[in-house]
Amino acid sequence: MLEFGDNLYLLDLPQNVEGFRRFIGSWVLKEYDSALLVDVGPANTIRLLEKGLRKLGINRVEYVLLTHIHLDHAGGIGHLIELQPCEAVGCEQEGSRGTCTHLWRD
C-alpha cells in the first residue's frame, strides 16, 4: 500500500503471474471509515482489496468509479458489491450501456 497524501492510497492487487507485481491496483480516497474507490481490479483480487480496506479502517465503500470496462480494472465489481453494497458505481458511458451490467453476473 502506498500513501500519496491525506487519505489517498494506492492498494497493490498482485496477480499470481510473474511480472504482475505493482501492475494492478485500486485507488482509495478515505473519509473517516468510508471510501471512494477508483477501479477494483479483477475478481480474483477482491479479497485482497477487502483486506487492504480493513487495514485502512474502512468499513464501507460509498462510491466506485471504474475508469474503463476491462477485467483488470472492473472485473471484480460484482463480487465487491456482493460483499459490500455501495451507494453508486460510475463507469464510462459506453460501459454503462450494457458491458458494465455483465460484470455483475457470474
Side-chain angles (χ1 to χ4, degrees):
M1 173 184 339
L2 298 173
E3 185 172 0
F4 283 87
D6 291 341
N7 300 320
L8 180 62
Y9 304 89
L10 177 59
L11 297 179
D12 184 32
L13 301 173
Q15 301 297 293
N16 290 329
V17 178
E18 190 172 325
F20 281 83
R21 181 75 178 163
R22 297 184 186 234
F23 184 77
I24 297 174
S26 180
W27 287 93
V28 180
L29 181 60
K30 179 182 176 184
E31 174 120 0
Y32 303 107
D33 68 340
S34 64
L36 173 143
L37 302 181
V38 178
D39 291 336
V40 297
N44 68 336
T45 61
I46 293 303
R47 294 289 180 197
L48 291 173
L49 179 58
E50 281 279 303
K51 183 179 177 181
L53 294 173
R54 281 193 307 274
K55 187 174 181 179
L56 288 170
I58 295 170
N59 299 316
R60 185 172 56 131
V61 173
E62 288 193 42
Y63 303 100
V64 177
L65 174 62
L66 303 174
T67 57
H68 60 281
I69 307 303
H70 285 169
L71 293 178
D72 59 330
H73 291 260
I77 189 65
H79 296 288
L80 179 69
I81 287 173
E82 286 177 2
L83 295 171
Q84 194 171 120
C86 60
E87 292 291 321
V89 176
C91 58
E92 63 177 314
Q93 185 175 4
E94 288 301 312
S96 65
R97 289 192 189 149
T99 309
C100 200
T101 58
H102 294 292
L103 297 174
W104 272 263
R105 299 181 186 155
D106 281 339

